[in-house]
Amino acid sequence: MKFIIHNTDKASSARAGTLETGHGKVETPIFMPVGTAANVKAVHVRDLRDDVKAQIILGNTYHLYLRPGTDIIHRAGGLHKFIGWDRPMLTDSGGYQVYSLTEIRKLKEEGVTFQSHIDGSRHEFTPENVMDIQRLIGADIIMAFDECTPYPCDYDYAKNSMGVTHRWLKRCFDQFKATEPLYGHEQALFPIVQGSTYRDLRVASAEAISSFGAEGNAIGGLSVGEPHEMMYEMTELVCGILPKDRPRYLMGVGTPANILESIALGVDMFDCVMPTRNARNGMIFTKNGFMNMLNNKWKDDYSVLDVEGTSFVDQQYTKAYVRHLFKAKELLGGMIASLHNLAFYLWLVGEAREQIKAGTFSSWKDAMVKKVTTRL
Amino acid sequence: MKFIIHNTDKASSARAGTLETGHGKVETPIFMPVGTAANVKAVHVRDLRDDVKAQIILGNTYHLYLRPGTDIIHRAGGLHKFIGWDRPMLTDSGGYQVYSLTEIRKLKEEGVTFQSHIDGSRHEFTPENVMDIQRLIGADIIMAFDECTPYPCDYDYAKNSMGVTHRWLKRCFDQFKATEPLYGHEQALFPIVQGSTYRDLRVASAEAISSFGAEGNAIGGLSVGEPHEMMYEMTELVCGILPKDRPRYLMGVGTPANILESIALGVDMFDCVMPTRNARNGMIFTKNGFMNMLNNKWKDDYSVLDVEGTSFVDQQYTKAYVRHLFKAKELLGGMIASLHNLAFYLWLVGEAREQIKAGTFSSWKDAMVKKVTTRL
């Protein structure tokens, strides 16, 4: 995998780059739509490609391992073929899901045993088998198996957990190096910085993670309930330590404003369920602010959904119509809002890239953060 | 409205025609996707037009009247503009929904009072206000307000109900003639034959309905639980009486085989929720038979959904993938199956038309009925 930085912003740490993978290029900064269970919810692959213009999407090891299972994905020829998506993909390791979705789990030095949230069946994830599973899934970028600490988290727990994550990382890399990709394209393993909201732990973790010389590095354990300012503080601290010449991925972030602020701190890659999950609840993000489509305000508004939007839905449907669909609980409402929000997120990071290249990112970012946080 | 019959089948009563409306032509026989609440569930308008190739879609007076309400639709400039659909539309009168969806209702000679299934609010439908509502909605074809009898239905109830339907029809036509279309295109009013499963009542009703000289005629009160053979018997009987030079619409029908058999009996127009409702439950109709996508059989089948299918989804997705989506209860499963099934229904009636024109309909129909009723 190759990462080229084309431009860096003078007034911030933002950069515009290109990530080259076995399934083509990704222009950074980039937002990755989340395709948890082998699909981006309520969005056709065709529209993800041609309308949203997604460059890379996410899959989830925990979900895919449980359903449809690695045997099905392997026999399909890997996740790309199973989904019908020929652009880059990333899978997260399942660490986060084991802690957020399973009720009965036990963490030991060896790994984690847990019960499936689907049928209660018992399973074990170890750094080794999570690498093997991600080989079988076959994403271009795979993630180390870590423990994602909750917020708040006491210092001793965070420190011990970080230690486990670092020891697991060594085992992940050992297994990764001992195995081969299965589908004829390269895979890159990204380690994950942990350390909760403690500066000394984040520094220690960022240094430990950097020492592995990985092709890219991720920041985990943020956007789990802590104040935004604390998230930015940790992100800035960690970005200052992680290698400058490798892509930095801030996991699970976030709102449009979160993304813009984090780009300014030096982050290159993002993922979040927000544009699709909030879409299904009637929330529309635009460059001028966000709208709750269930609001009475839109009842009689026959203007198009987003006159400046880049998705076909923006000109196809009116606000009054989309409001009706949400009021009537019609699936089409969530389908429209999902396409719109994803297209907006992709537009936002694409425009950030253009502004970085033009040397105008910081002032644009400040103005845009004000706009996108406005309730319409 | 103009209806031209181009060809009639020698071995059956099937005909190929063209219906000209203020929103363009409809080639018959035709299937009309059902857009109950101002949308065909889980299908974008763009895909309905370009992928499914729907020529005319249905709206529902009962649902639209309750939500979003005629004021919203009127201010949008009518249902075509509200939905963003510029091809022909038909609205049914709400008679069927009043009987199937509302628990508390009271039928009098004047009309029906009922409570909304959404919020329990009280409303009244009369032949007159149902015409007014359908003027406000603005479909190209609107339906008379009738009572749809259930199956089974005792003779006296069916006879009395038919009498009400006929008297209401006179009032519908009076109100229809006393009012004007609101959006600059013509509207045609279709009356509905009732009479349950009693031959003498069906004859009497078909004769009464024919006497109105309407631009098209519908057959109601079938496909409500009676055996298929009884439905065909009634349809044949009624088609023999309804004017030959006007389109005949069999309401709420049905399976692919039902449609083919009814085309042979002289029916030109169909609507049914089956292709979309069953789609959301995992059923896929194809020219070689039907599939339950939840079946284990498809778990490992990496062939495309329908190699002969005409929708983009047919080549985009595999059976194993679509099965996974249904097993995981992902919305995309229903979206895929809805597009596929609607495209198949439109293909089926289009192919029936081609076979009628080629003089090969009857033998093709017999072979096709065997195929489409096969469980794959």
Side-chain angles (χ1 to χ4, degrees), chain A residues 36-47 49 51 63-64 67-68 71-76 81-85 280 299-300 302 312-313 316-318 320-321 324-325 327-333 335-336 339, chain B residues 36-47 49 51 63-64 67-68 71-76 81-85 280 299-300 302 312-313 316-318 320-321 324-325 327-333 335-336 339:
Chain A
T36 308
N39 76 116
V40 175
K41 288 187 198 297
V43 177
H44 282 290
V45 162
R46 173 200 63 176
D47 296 336
R49 186 184 58 223
D51 191 63
H63 288 278
L64 296 171
R67 194 167 53 194
D71 54 336
I72 296 288
I73 294 174
H74 187 212
R75 284 200 289 274
K81 290 228 168 71
F82 186 62
I83 291 184
W85 177 256
R280 296 194 302 281
K299 200 171 94 168
D300 256 329
Y302 303 105
F312 87 92
V313 301
Q316 170 80 71
Y317 303 106
T318 66
Y321 182 66
H324 162 67
L325 295 175
K327 291 296 278 186
K329 298 187 174 59
E330 293 286 335
L331 297 178
L332 184 57
M335 290 163 58
I336 290 169
L339 274 178
Chain B
T36 309
N39 77 115
V40 175
K41 286 185 198 301
V43 177
H44 282 289
V45 162
R46 173 199 64 176
D47 295 336
R49 186 183 59 223
D51 191 64
H63 287 278
L64 296 171
R67 195 169 51 195
D71 56 335
I72 297 287
I73 293 173
H74 187 212
R75 284 200 288 275
K81 290 228 169 71
F82 186 62
I83 292 184
W85 176 256
R280 296 194 301 280
K299 200 171 94 168
D300 255 327
Y302 304 105
F312 86 92
V313 301
Q316 170 81 71
Y317 302 107
T318 67
Y321 181 66
H324 161 68
L325 294 175
K327 290 297 277 187
K329 299 188 173 57
E330 293 286 335
L331 297 178
L332 185 57
M335 291 162 58
I336 291 169
L339 274 179

Side-chain angles (χ1 to χ4, degrees), chain B residues 135-193:
Chain B
R135 287 292 195 198
L136 287 163
I137 295 172
D140 303 276
I141 300 172
I142 70 177
M143 301 303 299
F145 188 57
D146 63 339
E147 185 185 6
C148 178
T149 48
Y151 178 84
C153 176
D154 72 53
Y155 184 85
D156 288 344
Y157 189 93
K159 189 174 178 179
N160 285 332
S161 169
M162 183 186 81
V164 171
T165 287
H166 293 172
R167 291 191 295 278
W168 283 0
L169 179 57
K170 170 75 169 63
R171 289 166 55 193
C172 283
F173 266 104
D174 287 347
Q175 184 71 6
F176 180 70
K177 284 171 188 163
T179 54
E180 293 287 332
L182 298 170
Y183 307 112
H185 62 268
E186 283 184 24
Q187 296 185 285
L189 172 60
F190 283 20
I192 304 170
V193 175

Side-chain angles (χ1 to χ4, degrees), chain B residues 72-289:
Chain B
I72 297 287
I73 293 173
H74 187 212
R75 284 200 288 275
L79 187 59
H80 286 89
K81 290 228 169 71
F82 186 62
I83 292 184
W85 176 256
D86 61 4
R87 294 182 184 173
M89 295 189 69
L90 179 152
T91 39
D92 69 12
S93 66
Y96 178 76
Q97 283 69 31
V98 167
Y99 304 106
S100 61
L101 289 180
T102 67
E103 298 210 346
I104 302 166
R105 61 179 175 270
K106 202 169 169 185
L107 187 143
K108 296 180 295 186
E109 186 63 29
E110 173 59 21
V112 186
T113 53
F114 61 92
Q115 283 193 283
S116 159
H117 75 290
I118 299 168
D119 61 7
S121 55
R122 295 191 69 82
H123 303 272
E124 183 173 21
F125 274 174
T126 65
E128 291 79 12
N129 79 2
V130 165
M131 291 302 101
D132 296 344
I133 293 167
Q134 290 187 94
R135 287 292 195 198
L136 287 163
I137 295 172
D140 303 276
I141 300 172
I142 70 177
M143 301 303 299
F145 188 57
D146 63 339
E147 185 185 6
C148 178
T149 48
Y151 178 84
C153 176
D154 72 53
Y155 184 85
D156 288 344
Y157 189 93
K159 189 174 178 179
N160 285 332
S161 169
M162 183 186 81
V164 171
T165 287
H166 293 172
R167 291 191 295 278
W168 283 0
L169 179 57
K170 170 75 169 63
R171 289 166 55 193
C172 283
F173 266 104
D174 287 347
Q175 184 71 6
F176 180 70
K177 284 171 188 163
T179 54
E180 293 287 332
L182 298 170
Y183 307 112
H185 62 268
E186 283 184 24
Q187 296 185 285
L189 172 60
F190 283 20
I192 304 170
V193 175
Q194 289 290 347
S196 187
T197 50
Y198 302 104
R199 292 185 65 93
D200 64 323
L201 298 185
R202 284 284 172 183
V203 169
S205 188
E207 286 171 348
I209 262 61
S210 299
S211 73
F212 282 86
E215 298 188 85
N217 299 286
I219 309 170
L222 293 177
S223 199
V224 292
E226 78 285 2
H228 284 172
E229 288 315 314
M230 197 173 270
M231 174 174 84
Y232 297 142
E233 184 190 335
M234 295 299 132
T235 300
E236 185 171 22
L237 183 67
V238 169
C239 283
I241 298 166
L242 292 176
K244 286 201 168 11
D245 60 344
R246 302 289 158 88
R248 302 178 186 128
Y249 163 29
L250 180 56
M251 302 181 80
V253 173
T255 66
N258 290 161
I259 288 175
L260 293 174
E261 295 293 5
S262 303
I263 289 172
L265 301 175
V267 175
D268 307 294
M269 301 165 69
F270 301 90
D271 79 284
C272 192
V273 295
M274 188 174 276
T276 40
R277 180 176 293 166
N278 290 22
R280 296 194 301 280
N281 294 322
M283 184 177 278
I284 292 274
F285 298 99
T286 80
K287 67 176 77 169
N288 296 308

